[in-house]
């Protein structure tokens, strides 16, 4: 009889569901998750309404149709962190763990297990005796990365230089290439003409 009483007491608690209140936006489901907004922060829920990524302020928004919100694509979501006045982009997985450290000047959502990014390189070109600091130059290349964040193909051969003024701009440099299929990428050149490149 004592054992039966314990079972009856536990049954009501098993049916309790999680309630999330005061949300300002709930996105459609994409990649089996939906973005939710509270204040200036975003998080993610699964299809059961469980919060799988708590609210945070580093998720990058993607324009989709008439709305803008963070999305997962190929199991990854874009994040952005600021360092030394420059915004760097990387990726998290569905546990919220950073799987590709923020290191790119701009980045796209993953497609076909690949993403387009602007890989930045920092070059020390001298030393300023007055301010006791290195004089550095930043330049970047447009590249394709794999799921681990490794560059697998360079789309631009010439480095694009960034002036100190530009690196403080809130808007990241533009990515001019785009995937048109799993194995083809379209690249816009300086004359605003397109060329096609096959990806191995």
């Amino acid at each position: 009889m004592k054992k039966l009483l314990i079972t009856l007491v536990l049954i009501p608690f098993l049916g309790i569901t999680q309630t999330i209140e005061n949300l300002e936006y709930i996105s459609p489901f994409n990649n089996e998750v939906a973005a939710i907004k509270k204040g200036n922060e975003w998080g993610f829920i699964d299809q059961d309404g469980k919060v799988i990524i708590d609210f945070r302020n580093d998720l990058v928004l993607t324009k989709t149709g008439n709305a803008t919100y963070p999305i997962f694509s190929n199991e990854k979501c874009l994040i952005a962190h600021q360092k030394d006045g420059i915004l760097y982009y990387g990726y998290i997985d569905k546990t919220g763990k950073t799987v590709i450290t923020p290191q790119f000047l701009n980045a796209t959502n993953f497609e076909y297990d690949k993403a387009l990014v602007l890989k930045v390189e920092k070059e020390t070109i001298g030393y300023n005796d007055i301010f006791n600091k290195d004089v550095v130059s930043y330049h970047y290349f447009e590249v394709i990365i794999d799921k681990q964040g490794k560059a697998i193909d360079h789309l631009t051969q010439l480095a694009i230089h960034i002036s100190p003024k530009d690196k403080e701009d809130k808007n990241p440099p533009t990515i001019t290439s785009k995937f048109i299929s799993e194995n083809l990428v379209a690249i816009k050149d300086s004359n605003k003409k397109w060329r096609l490149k096959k990806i191995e």
Side-chain angles (χ1 to χ4, degrees), residues 73-76 100 109-116 144-150 152 179 182:
S73 181
N74 284 172
E75 308 299 314
K76 292 180 179 61
I100 300 176
N109 290 302
F110 267 78
E111 294 181 74
Y112 314 112
D113 289 329
K114 296 180 280 288
L116 300 166
I144 299 172
I145 59 169
D146 63 15
K147 292 186 293 184
Q148 286 75 42
K150 179 183 176 185
I152 56 175
F179 291 113
E182 184 173 358

Side-chain angles (χ1 to χ4, degrees), residues 12 15 22 29 36 40 72 81 84 93 109 121 159 163 183 187 189:
N22 300 317
F29 277 90
I36 53 176
N40 293 321
F72 268 89
H81 291 175
D84 298 329
D93 64 15
N109 290 302
E121 294 182 8
S163 71
N183 298 310
I187 306 161
D189 62 25

Side-chain angles (χ1 to χ4, degrees), residues 55-119:
F55 295 99
R56 50 196 288 175
N57 61 11
D58 63 347
L59 300 179
V60 175
L61 309 184
T62 297
K63 185 169 177 55
T64 307
N66 296 324
T68 305
Y69 49 86
I71 66 167
F72 268 89
S73 181
N74 284 172
E75 308 299 314
K76 292 180 179 61
C77 177
L78 275 164
I79 58 171
H81 291 175
Q82 195 172 68
K83 182 181 177 183
D84 298 329
I86 303 172
L87 204 59
Y88 292 99
Y89 293 79
Y91 299 86
I92 59 170
D93 64 15
K94 286 183 181 175
T95 68
K97 176 185 174 185
T98 299
V99 289
I100 300 176
T101 304
Q103 60 190 283
F104 309 113
L105 276 184
N106 201 351
T108 66
N109 290 302
F110 267 78
E111 294 181 74
Y112 314 112
D113 289 329
K114 296 180 280 288
L116 300 166
V117 301
L118 299 181
K119 185 179 179 183

Side-chain angles (χ1 to χ4, degrees), residues 10-22:
L10 287 177
I11 287 173
F13 290 95
L14 294 177
I16 291 176
T17 58
Q18 182 181 20
T19 302
I20 309 168
E21 299 179 347
N22 300 317

Side-chain angles (χ1 to χ4, degrees), residues 81-185:
H81 291 175
Q82 195 172 68
K83 182 181 177 183
D84 298 329
I86 303 172
L87 204 59
Y88 292 99
Y89 293 79
Y91 299 86
I92 59 170
D93 64 15
K94 286 183 181 175
T95 68
K97 176 185 174 185
T98 299
V99 289
I100 300 176
T101 304
Q103 60 190 283
F104 309 113
L105 276 184
N106 201 351
T108 66
N109 290 302
F110 267 78
E111 294 181 74
Y112 314 112
D113 289 329
K114 296 180 280 288
L116 300 166
V117 301
L118 299 181
K119 185 179 179 183
V120 66
E121 294 182 8
K122 178 180 174 181
E123 180 184 3
T124 302
I125 57 176
Y127 187 80
N128 188 317
D129 293 323
I130 297 173
F131 295 104
N132 294 320
K133 61 189 292 187
D134 290 331
V135 177
V136 298
S137 172
Y138 294 92
H139 51 272
Y140 62 88
F141 297 89
E142 201 162 312
V143 303
I144 299 172
I145 59 169
D146 63 15
K147 292 186 293 184
Q148 286 75 42
K150 179 183 176 185
I152 56 175
D153 209 330
H154 276 70
L155 302 179
T156 52
Q157 299 304 317
L158 296 176
I160 301 170
H161 296 278
I162 311 162
S163 71
K165 179 184 175 184
D166 290 338
K167 78 180 180 62
E168 291 174 3
D169 190 346
K170 291 183 179 179
N171 297 316
T174 304
I175 293 174
T176 58
S177 305
K178 60 183 179 180
F179 291 113
I180 59 172
S181 75
E182 184 173 358
N183 298 310
L184 284 176
V185 63

